Amino acid sequence: MVNATIDGIAVRVANGTTIKQAAESVGITIPSLCYLKDLNEIGACRVCCVEIEGEQRMVPSCNNPVQEGMVIHTNSPRARETRRVNVELILSQHDCHCATCVRSGNCKLQTLSNDLGILVNPYQEDLPRGIKSKWTTTFPLFRDAAKCIKCMRCVQVCDKVQSLSIWELTSSGSRSTIDVSFNRRIKDADCALCGQCITHCPVGALRERDDTVRAFSALSDPDKITVVQIAPAVRTAWGEAFGLPPEKATVGRLAAALRRMGFDYVFDTTFSADLTIMEEGSEFLERLQKGDLQKYPMFTSCCPGWVRFLKSQYPELTHWLSTSKSPQQMFGAVSKTWFAEKMGLDPKKLFCISIMPCLAKKAECDLPTMQDEAYGQDVDLVLTVREITRMLRADQLDPANMPDEPLDSPLGEGTGAGVIFGATGGVMEAALRSAYYLVTGHNPSVNSFHDVREVMNDDVLGLHTLGRGWREATFDLKDTPVRVAVASGLGNARALCKAILSGEKQYDFVEIMACRGGCAGGGGQPIHDGEERALVRGQVLYGLDKVSELRFSHENPAVGALYEEYLGQPLSERAEHLLHTDHEGWIMPPHPDYGKE
């Protein structure tokens, strides 16, 4: 233990505790821009500098430990002036047109600048010009070089957590900036589109491609019938921007707001999550019985970020991906066939929009393998939670003052199993629930999943997870042991894939989500700087499952009607055509070092 004094307050902390942490332990806040605990403690922004008696230089508090007897001042005249000057210098290289920035009101630099009372910047503006300021407008991930403050957060999260190293620091000194690694264009890089760089950016330098104008255009087109689907994980987060607690941020309130906005039909992706379970569970049993999983396991394919990762990093495993489309894409295919037929609608007039917690879904819906000659794309447009929030605000809609409204039928019916798709391990548990039924003819008791869920819910959400970062369990399926593994976060996925390829580990069924905590922590969710809310959101989903009347995907009456009236049975010829895909039918840029390991 060491003793020190911070702003006149005596503190006693463990050896190795940073000055910033020690200050927080006694209620003293030291502002920062680049700092993320355990991930980015490099003192790049210099905003957290403090004055230490006896030290000539100002000292960054985020990465310097407390020493015995230190006398520290966080708000001395020198500390205040240093902080202000450093923020002013950062602002001189930052596009300060806040009114046209998606992060206005939720920007750490804007907040800090306002707190410091900076009304006029004495330093000359120095923004990127020419080719350095250019970026593609079609890729789902957008970067504004003029807003980048070189905090290195995107570099660190992509490298340390997701293991992809898409970003790197280029040039030096005042010319230094962040750019795509290996001098690549972003559309030629092996970016998984997980969006974690966006959710960890403290400013508006990184964001999703904005598709709100296209969505409003579709809503105002009299020749289009707009159909919207709400992903399971959206219900845990959409209300955060409106200050609604989880119990009030219901999917019914969101449905009411979407109808006010002008959507013709409002549906729930939990319906197609249940449908995915029927197809994927049946596919797993078929491949298991055929002996197709003796070498490698079947991998889930509902997360497009994970699919992009596997195809670029471990393309030799592509054959073992489930051919089942994701719930988003299954919903689009069913809405433009069965639903259109039932309602007497022209499928070519249906415009299907998804509200997703995900960035990679924007790329998934545009894949050449996700469309049909009869109706076009399965899904026409994907909006993140942040985009739908902006649309609601643009229309001055306040969901808090709206009553719950039921979702439309029949694609609005879902089970608890479909809801937990949004949490890591949820897909696996939902699949095993119905796989057990498909094999035995009766449902397992809820307690049968206690050990499996306990293992799966204990997800590794720590930042340094490039080692053993997955969970495993064995589930008894009518006297047949099924070995399963669950991982979230692409660094963990890489470690798991290496263990499988080397023969160190053998499984039958593996679920992987690109984002830590699953879709609940997706790259399209609301941003809360410095907070990781995936685990809390996931617990909300499991809570909703617990109180659901139906907890097994095969009990969804709408899914049953779909099979009875249109598909026949899981894996039927029509089901294969509409609900399955060819992962070899599109190309993903490989990592530059692929094959060199």
mmCIF file with all atom_site columns, all heavy atoms in Angstrom, residues 335-352:
data_model
loop_
_atom_site.group_PDB
_atom_site.id
_atom_site.type_symbol
_atom_site.label_atom_id
_atom_site.label_alt_id
_atom_site.label_comp_id
_atom_site.label_asym_id
_atom_site.label_entity_id
_atom_site.label_seq_id
_atom_site.pdbx_PDB_ins_code
_atom_site.Cartn_x
_atom_site.Cartn_y
_atom_site.Cartn_z
_atom_site.occupancy
_atom_site.B_iso_or_equiv
_atom_site.pdbx_formal_charge
_atom_site.auth_seq_id
_atom_site.auth_comp_id
_atom_site.auth_asym_id
_atom_site.auth_atom_id
_atom_site.pdbx_PDB_model_num
ATOM 1   N N   . SER A 1 335 ? -41.100 -12.531 -45.551 1.00 0.00 ? 335 SER A N   1
ATOM 2   C CA  . SER A 1 335 ? -42.032 -11.413 -45.696 1.00 0.00 ? 335 SER A CA  1
ATOM 3   C C   . SER A 1 335 ? -42.397 -11.178 -47.156 1.00 0.00 ? 335 SER A C   1
ATOM 4   O O   . SER A 1 335 ? -43.519 -10.769 -47.466 1.00 0.00 ? 335 SER A O   1
ATOM 5   C CB  . SER A 1 335 ? -41.436 -10.138 -45.085 1.00 0.00 ? 335 SER A CB  1
ATOM 6   O OG  . SER A 1 335 ? -40.331 -9.664  -45.847 1.00 0.00 ? 335 SER A OG  1
ATOM 7   N N   . LYS A 1 336 ? -41.442 -11.463 -48.067 1.00 0.00 ? 336 LYS A N   1
ATOM 8   C CA  . LYS A 1 336 ? -41.699 -11.198 -49.485 1.00 0.00 ? 336 LYS A CA  1
ATOM 9   C C   . LYS A 1 336 ? -42.253 -12.413 -50.233 1.00 0.00 ? 336 LYS A C   1
ATOM 10  O O   . LYS A 1 336 ? -42.441 -12.359 -51.451 1.00 0.00 ? 336 LYS A O   1
ATOM 11  C CB  . LYS A 1 336 ? -40.409 -10.695 -50.146 1.00 0.00 ? 336 LYS A CB  1
ATOM 12  C CG  . LYS A 1 336 ? -39.987 -9.329  -49.627 1.00 0.00 ? 336 LYS A CG  1
ATOM 13  C CD  . LYS A 1 336 ? -38.784 -8.772  -50.383 1.00 0.00 ? 336 LYS A CD  1
ATOM 14  C CE  . LYS A 1 336 ? -38.429 -7.371  -49.890 1.00 0.00 ? 336 LYS A CE  1
ATOM 15  N NZ  . LYS A 1 336 ? -37.310 -6.773  -50.643 1.00 0.00 ? 336 LYS A NZ  1
ATOM 16  N N   . THR A 1 337 ? -42.487 -13.492 -49.495 1.00 0.00 ? 337 THR A N   1
ATOM 17  C CA  . THR A 1 337 ? -43.088 -14.684 -50.120 1.00 0.00 ? 337 THR A CA  1
ATOM 18  C C   . THR A 1 337 ? -44.366 -15.063 -49.388 1.00 0.00 ? 337 THR A C   1
ATOM 19  O O   . THR A 1 337 ? -45.456 -14.672 -49.794 1.00 0.00 ? 337 THR A O   1
ATOM 20  C CB  . THR A 1 337 ? -42.076 -15.854 -50.117 1.00 0.00 ? 337 THR A CB  1
ATOM 21  O OG1 . THR A 1 337 ? -41.573 -16.073 -48.776 1.00 0.00 ? 337 THR A OG1 1
ATOM 22  C CG2 . THR A 1 337 ? -40.916 -15.559 -51.052 1.00 0.00 ? 337 THR A CG2 1
ATOM 23  N N   . TRP A 1 338 ? -44.239 -15.763 -48.299 1.00 0.00 ? 338 TRP A N   1
ATOM 24  C CA  . TRP A 1 338 ? -45.414 -16.254 -47.557 1.00 0.00 ? 338 TRP A CA  1
ATOM 25  C C   . TRP A 1 338 ? -46.316 -15.113 -47.101 1.00 0.00 ? 338 TRP A C   1
ATOM 26  O O   . TRP A 1 338 ? -47.522 -15.127 -47.321 1.00 0.00 ? 338 TRP A O   1
ATOM 27  C CB  . TRP A 1 338 ? -44.946 -17.090 -46.365 1.00 0.00 ? 338 TRP A CB  1
ATOM 28  C CG  . TRP A 1 338 ? -46.050 -17.668 -45.538 1.00 0.00 ? 338 TRP A CG  1
ATOM 29  C CD1 . TRP A 1 338 ? -47.056 -18.484 -45.965 1.00 0.00 ? 338 TRP A CD1 1
ATOM 30  C CD2 . TRP A 1 338 ? -46.263 -17.475 -44.125 1.00 0.00 ? 338 TRP A CD2 1
ATOM 31  N NE1 . TRP A 1 338 ? -47.874 -18.827 -44.907 1.00 0.00 ? 338 TRP A NE1 1
ATOM 32  C CE2 . TRP A 1 338 ? -47.411 -18.227 -43.766 1.00 0.00 ? 338 TRP A CE2 1
ATOM 33  C CE3 . TRP A 1 338 ? -45.584 -16.769 -43.132 1.00 0.00 ? 338 TRP A CE3 1
ATOM 34  C CZ2 . TRP A 1 338 ? -47.891 -18.270 -42.463 1.00 0.00 ? 338 TRP A CZ2 1
ATOM 35  C CZ3 . TRP A 1 338 ? -46.060 -16.811 -41.828 1.00 0.00 ? 338 TRP A CZ3 1
ATOM 36  C CH2 . TRP A 1 338 ? -47.205 -17.554 -41.508 1.00 0.00 ? 338 TRP A CH2 1
ATOM 37  N N   . PHE A 1 339 ? -45.722 -14.103 -46.446 1.00 0.00 ? 339 PHE A N   1
ATOM 38  C CA  . PHE A 1 339 ? -46.518 -12.997 -45.934 1.00 0.00 ? 339 PHE A CA  1
ATOM 39  C C   . PHE A 1 339 ? -47.196 -12.235 -47.076 1.00 0.00 ? 339 PHE A C   1
ATOM 40  O O   . PHE A 1 339 ? -48.392 -11.926 -47.003 1.00 0.00 ? 339 PHE A O   1
ATOM 41  C CB  . PHE A 1 339 ? -45.647 -12.047 -45.113 1.00 0.00 ? 339 PHE A CB  1
ATOM 42  C CG  . PHE A 1 339 ? -46.350 -10.794 -44.687 1.00 0.00 ? 339 PHE A CG  1
ATOM 43  C CD1 . PHE A 1 339 ? -47.344 -10.833 -43.715 1.00 0.00 ? 339 PHE A CD1 1
ATOM 44  C CD2 . PHE A 1 339 ? -46.040 -9.567  -45.259 1.00 0.00 ? 339 PHE A CD2 1
ATOM 45  C CE1 . PHE A 1 339 ? -48.011 -9.677  -43.321 1.00 0.00 ? 339 PHE A CE1 1
ATOM 46  C CE2 . PHE A 1 339 ? -46.693 -8.411  -44.882 1.00 0.00 ? 339 PHE A CE2 1
ATOM 47  C CZ  . PHE A 1 339 ? -47.687 -8.462  -43.909 1.00 0.00 ? 339 PHE A CZ  1
ATOM 48  N N   . ALA A 1 340 ? -46.431 -11.933 -48.134 1.00 0.00 ? 340 ALA A N   1
ATOM 49  C CA  . ALA A 1 340 ? -47.007 -11.204 -49.269 1.00 0.00 ? 340 ALA A CA  1
ATOM 50  C C   . ALA A 1 340 ? -48.154 -11.986 -49.897 1.00 0.00 ? 340 ALA A C   1
ATOM 51  O O   . ALA A 1 340 ? -49.201 -11.417 -50.262 1.00 0.00 ? 340 ALA A O   1
ATOM 52  C CB  . ALA A 1 340 ? -45.918 -10.932 -50.310 1.00 0.00 ? 340 ALA A CB  1
ATOM 53  N N   . GLU A 1 341 ? -47.976 -13.305 -49.998 1.00 0.00 ? 341 GLU A N   1
ATOM 54  C CA  . GLU A 1 341 ? -49.016 -14.153 -50.575 1.00 0.00 ? 341 GLU A CA  1
ATOM 55  C C   . GLU A 1 341 ? -50.260 -14.169 -49.700 1.00 0.00 ? 341 GLU A C   1
ATOM 56  O O   . GLU A 1 341 ? -51.393 -14.072 -50.199 1.00 0.00 ? 341 GLU A O   1
ATOM 57  C CB  . GLU A 1 341 ? -48.460 -15.564 -50.762 1.00 0.00 ? 341 GLU A CB  1
ATOM 58  C CG  . GLU A 1 341 ? -49.389 -16.524 -51.461 1.00 0.00 ? 341 GLU A CG  1
ATOM 59  C CD  . GLU A 1 341 ? -48.752 -17.894 -51.671 1.00 0.00 ? 341 GLU A CD  1
ATOM 60  O OE1 . GLU A 1 341 ? -47.740 -17.973 -52.404 1.00 0.00 ? 341 GLU A OE1 1
ATOM 61  O OE2 . GLU A 1 341 ? -49.250 -18.869 -51.077 1.00 0.00 ? 341 GLU A OE2 1
ATOM 62  N N   . LYS A 1 342 ? -50.075 -14.276 -48.371 1.00 0.00 ? 342 LYS A N   1
ATOM 63  C CA  . LYS A 1 342 ? -51.209 -14.309 -47.445 1.00 0.00 ? 342 LYS A CA  1
ATOM 64  C C   . LYS A 1 342 ? -52.005 -13.002 -47.494 1.00 0.00 ? 342 LYS A C   1
ATOM 65  O O   . LYS A 1 342 ? -53.232 -12.991 -47.392 1.00 0.00 ? 342 LYS A O   1
ATOM 66  C CB  . LYS A 1 342 ? -50.708 -14.541 -46.004 1.00 0.00 ? 342 LYS A CB  1
ATOM 67  C CG  . LYS A 1 342 ? -50.350 -15.969 -45.666 1.00 0.00 ? 342 LYS A CG  1
ATOM 68  C CD  . LYS A 1 342 ? -49.802 -16.066 -44.256 1.00 0.00 ? 342 LYS A CD  1
ATOM 69  C CE  . LYS A 1 342 ? -50.881 -15.873 -43.220 1.00 0.00 ? 342 LYS A CE  1
ATOM 70  N NZ  . LYS A 1 342 ? -51.832 -16.998 -43.149 1.00 0.00 ? 342 LYS A NZ  1
ATOM 71  N N   . MET A 1 343 ? -51.274 -11.894 -47.640 1.00 0.00 ? 343 MET A N   1
ATOM 72  C CA  . MET A 1 343 ? -51.924 -10.587 -47.595 1.00 0.00 ? 343 MET A CA  1
ATOM 73  C C   . MET A 1 343 ? -52.327 -10.072 -48.971 1.00 0.00 ? 343 MET A C   1
ATOM 74  O O   . MET A 1 343 ? -52.917 -8.997  -49.084 1.00 0.00 ? 343 MET A O   1
ATOM 75  C CB  . MET A 1 343 ? -50.973 -9.574  -46.927 1.00 0.00 ? 343 MET A CB  1
ATOM 76  C CG  . MET A 1 343 ? -50.543 -9.968  -45.527 1.00 0.00 ? 343 MET A CG  1
ATOM 77  S SD  . MET A 1 343 ? -51.929 -10.105 -44.363 1.00 0.00 ? 343 MET A SD  1
ATOM 78  C CE  . MET A 1 343 ? -52.434 -8.390  -44.248 1.00 0.00 ? 343 MET A CE  1
ATOM 79  N N   . GLY A 1 344 ? -51.998 -10.823 -50.024 1.00 0.00 ? 344 GLY A N   1
ATOM 80  C CA  . GLY A 1 344 ? -52.320 -10.383 -51.371 1.00 0.00 ? 344 GLY A CA  1
ATOM 81  C C   . GLY A 1 344 ? -51.526 -9.169  -51.810 1.00 0.00 ? 344 GLY A C   1
ATOM 82  O O   . GLY A 1 344 ? -52.043 -8.298  -52.534 1.00 0.00 ? 344 GLY A O   1
ATOM 83  N N   . LEU A 1 345 ? -50.261 -9.084  -51.390 1.00 0.00 ? 345 LEU A N   1
ATOM 84  C CA  . LEU A 1 345 ? -49.403 -7.947  -51.696 1.00 0.00 ? 345 LEU A CA  1
ATOM 85  C C   . LEU A 1 345 ? -48.414 -8.297  -52.803 1.00 0.00 ? 345 LEU A C   1
ATOM 86  O O   . LEU A 1 345 ? -47.984 -9.454  -52.925 1.00 0.00 ? 345 LEU A O   1
ATOM 87  C CB  . LEU A 1 345 ? -48.627 -7.506  -50.444 1.00 0.00 ? 345 LEU A CB  1
ATOM 88  C CG  . LEU A 1 345 ? -49.469 -7.128  -49.215 1.00 0.00 ? 345 LEU A CG  1
ATOM 89  C CD1 . LEU A 1 345 ? -48.568 -6.879  -48.023 1.00 0.00 ? 345 LEU A CD1 1
ATOM 90  C CD2 . LEU A 1 345 ? -50.331 -5.903  -49.507 1.00 0.00 ? 345 LEU A CD2 1
ATOM 91  N N   . ASP A 1 346 ? -48.042 -7.312  -53.568 1.00 0.00 ? 346 ASP A N   1
ATOM 92  C CA  . ASP A 1 346 ? -47.024 -7.483  -54.597 1.00 0.00 ? 346 ASP A CA  1
ATOM 93  C C   . ASP A 1 346 ? -45.661 -7.472  -53.917 1.00 0.00 ? 346 ASP A C   1
ATOM 94  O O   . ASP A 1 346 ? -45.258 -6.444  -53.350 1.00 0.00 ? 346 ASP A O   1
ATOM 95  C CB  . ASP A 1 346 ? -47.111 -6.345  -55.619 1.00 0.00 ? 346 ASP A CB  1
ATOM 96  C CG  . ASP A 1 346 ? -46.092 -6.485  -56.748 1.00 0.00 ? 346 ASP A CG  1
ATOM 97  O OD1 . ASP A 1 346 ? -45.238 -7.398  -56.680 1.00 0.00 ? 346 ASP A OD1 1
ATOM 98  O OD2 . ASP A 1 346 ? -46.134 -5.661  -57.687 1.00 0.00 ? 346 ASP A OD2 1
ATOM 99  N N   . PRO A 1 347 ? -44.934 -8.599  -53.918 1.00 0.00 ? 347 PRO A N   1
ATOM 100 C CA  . PRO A 1 347 ? -43.653 -8.653  -53.205 1.00 0.00 ? 347 PRO A CA  1
ATOM 101 C C   . PRO A 1 347 ? -42.643 -7.622  -53.700 1.00 0.00 ? 347 PRO A C   1
ATOM 102 O O   . PRO A 1 347 ? -41.766 -7.201  -52.939 1.00 0.00 ? 347 PRO A O   1
ATOM 103 C CB  . PRO A 1 347 ? -43.163 -10.087 -53.447 1.00 0.00 ? 347 PRO A CB  1
ATOM 104 C CG  . PRO A 1 347 ? -43.909 -10.548 -54.654 1.00 0.00 ? 347 PRO A CG  1
ATOM 105 C CD  . PRO A 1 347 ? -45.234 -9.865  -54.601 1.00 0.00 ? 347 PRO A CD  1
ATOM 106 N N   . LYS A 1 348 ? -42.774 -7.208  -54.949 1.00 0.00 ? 348 LYS A N   1
ATOM 107 C CA  . LYS A 1 348 ? -41.832 -6.218  -55.484 1.00 0.00 ? 348 LYS A CA  1
ATOM 108 C C   . LYS A 1 348 ? -42.091 -4.820  -54.923 1.00 0.00 ? 348 LYS A C   1
ATOM 109 O O   . LYS A 1 348 ? -41.247 -3.943  -55.042 1.00 0.00 ? 348 LYS A O   1
ATOM 110 C CB  . LYS A 1 348 ? -41.901 -6.207  -57.010 1.00 0.00 ? 348 LYS A CB  1
ATOM 111 C CG  . LYS A 1 348 ? -41.369 -7.495  -57.634 1.00 0.00 ? 348 LYS A CG  1
ATOM 112 C CD  . LYS A 1 348 ? -41.350 -7.424  -59.148 1.00 0.00 ? 348 LYS A CD  1
ATOM 113 C CE  . LYS A 1 348 ? -40.773 -8.704  -59.743 1.00 0.00 ? 348 LYS A CE  1
ATOM 114 N NZ  . LYS A 1 348 ? -40.752 -8.665  -61.227 1.00 0.00 ? 348 LYS A NZ  1
ATOM 115 N N   . LYS A 1 349 ? -43.272 -4.632  -54.315 1.00 0.00 ? 349 LYS A N   1
ATOM 116 C CA  . LYS A 1 349 ? -43.562 -3.341  -53.692 1.00 0.00 ? 349 LYS A CA  1
ATOM 117 C C   . LYS A 1 349 ? -43.177 -3.310  -52.215 1.00 0.00 ? 349 LYS A C   1
ATOM 118 O O   . LYS A 1 349 ? -43.139 -2.241  -51.608 1.00 0.00 ? 349 LYS A O   1
ATOM 119 C CB  . LYS A 1 349 ? -45.056 -3.015  -53.841 1.00 0.00 ? 349 LYS A CB  1
ATOM 120 C CG  . LYS A 1 349 ? -45.472 -2.648  -55.252 1.00 0.00 ? 349 LYS A CG  1
ATOM 121 C CD  . LYS A 1 349 ? -46.909 -2.149  -55.276 1.00 0.00 ? 349 LYS A CD  1
ATOM 122 C CE  . LYS A 1 349 ? -47.296 -1.663  -56.678 1.00 0.00 ? 349 LYS A CE  1
ATOM 123 N NZ  . LYS A 1 349 ? -48.677 -1.117  -56.697 1.00 0.00 ? 349 LYS A NZ  1
ATOM 124 N N   . LEU A 1 350 ? -42.920 -4.488  -51.655 1.00 0.00 ? 350 LEU A N   1
ATOM 125 C CA  . LEU A 1 350 ? -42.517 -4.541  -50.249 1.00 0.00 ? 350 LEU A CA  1
ATOM 126 C C   . LEU A 1 350 ? -41.107 -3.987  -50.089 1.00 0.00 ? 350 LEU A C   1
ATOM 127 O O   . LEU A 1 350 ? -40.181 -4.384  -50.807 1.00 0.00 ? 350 LEU A O   1
ATOM 128 C CB  . LEU A 1 350 ? -42.566 -5.970  -49.723 1.00 0.00 ? 350 LEU A CB  1
ATOM 129 C CG  . LEU A 1 350 ? -43.938 -6.586  -49.446 1.00 0.00 ? 350 LEU A CG  1
ATOM 130 C CD1 . LEU A 1 350 ? -43.782 -7.987  -48.890 1.00 0.00 ? 350 LEU A CD1 1
ATOM 131 C CD2 . LEU A 1 350 ? -44.728 -5.727  -48.473 1.00 0.00 ? 350 LEU A CD2 1
ATOM 132 N N   . PHE A 1 351 ? -40.939 -3.089  -49.139 1.00 0.00 ? 351 PHE A N   1
ATOM 133 C CA  . PHE A 1 351 ? -39.626 -2.540  -48.816 1.00 0.00 ? 351 PHE A CA  1
ATOM 134 C C   . PHE A 1 351 ? -39.336 -2.918  -47.377 1.00 0.00 ? 351 PHE A C   1
ATOM 135 O O   . PHE A 1 351 ? -39.951 -2.405  -46.446 1.00 0.00 ? 351 PHE A O   1
ATOM 136 C CB  . PHE A 1 351 ? -39.610 -1.023  -49.002 1.00 0.00 ? 351 PHE A CB  1
ATOM 137 C CG  . PHE A 1 351 ? -38.228 -0.424  -49.003 1.00 0.00 ? 351 PHE A CG  1
ATOM 138 C CD1 . PHE A 1 351 ? -37.480 -0.388  -50.177 1.00 0.00 ? 351 PHE A CD1 1
ATOM 139 C CD2 . PHE A 1 351 ? -37.678 0.092   -47.848 1.00 0.00 ? 351 PHE A CD2 1
ATOM 140 C CE1 . PHE A 1 351 ? -36.203 0.172   -50.184 1.00 0.00 ? 351 PHE A CE1 1
ATOM 141 C CE2 . PHE A 1 351 ? -36.399 0.643   -47.841 1.00 0.00 ? 351 PHE A CE2 1
ATOM 142 C CZ  . PHE A 1 351 ? -35.668 0.686   -49.026 1.00 0.00 ? 351 PHE A CZ  1
ATOM 143 N N   . CYS A 1 352 ? -38.423 -3.852  -47.203 1.00 0.00 ? 352 CYS A N   1
ATOM 144 C CA  . CYS A 1 352 ? -38.147 -4.432  -45.887 1.00 0.00 ? 352 CYS A CA  1
ATOM 145 C C   . CYS A 1 352 ? -36.982 -3.708  -45.219 1.00 0.00 ? 352 CYS A C   1
ATOM 146 O O   . CYS A 1 352 ? -35.874 -3.678  -45.756 1.00 0.00 ? 352 CYS A O   1
ATOM 147 C CB  . CYS A 1 352 ? -37.835 -5.920  -46.033 1.00 0.00 ? 352 CYS A CB  1
ATOM 148 S SG  . CYS A 1 352 ? -37.571 -6.758  -44.463 1.00 0.00 ? 352 CYS A SG  1
#
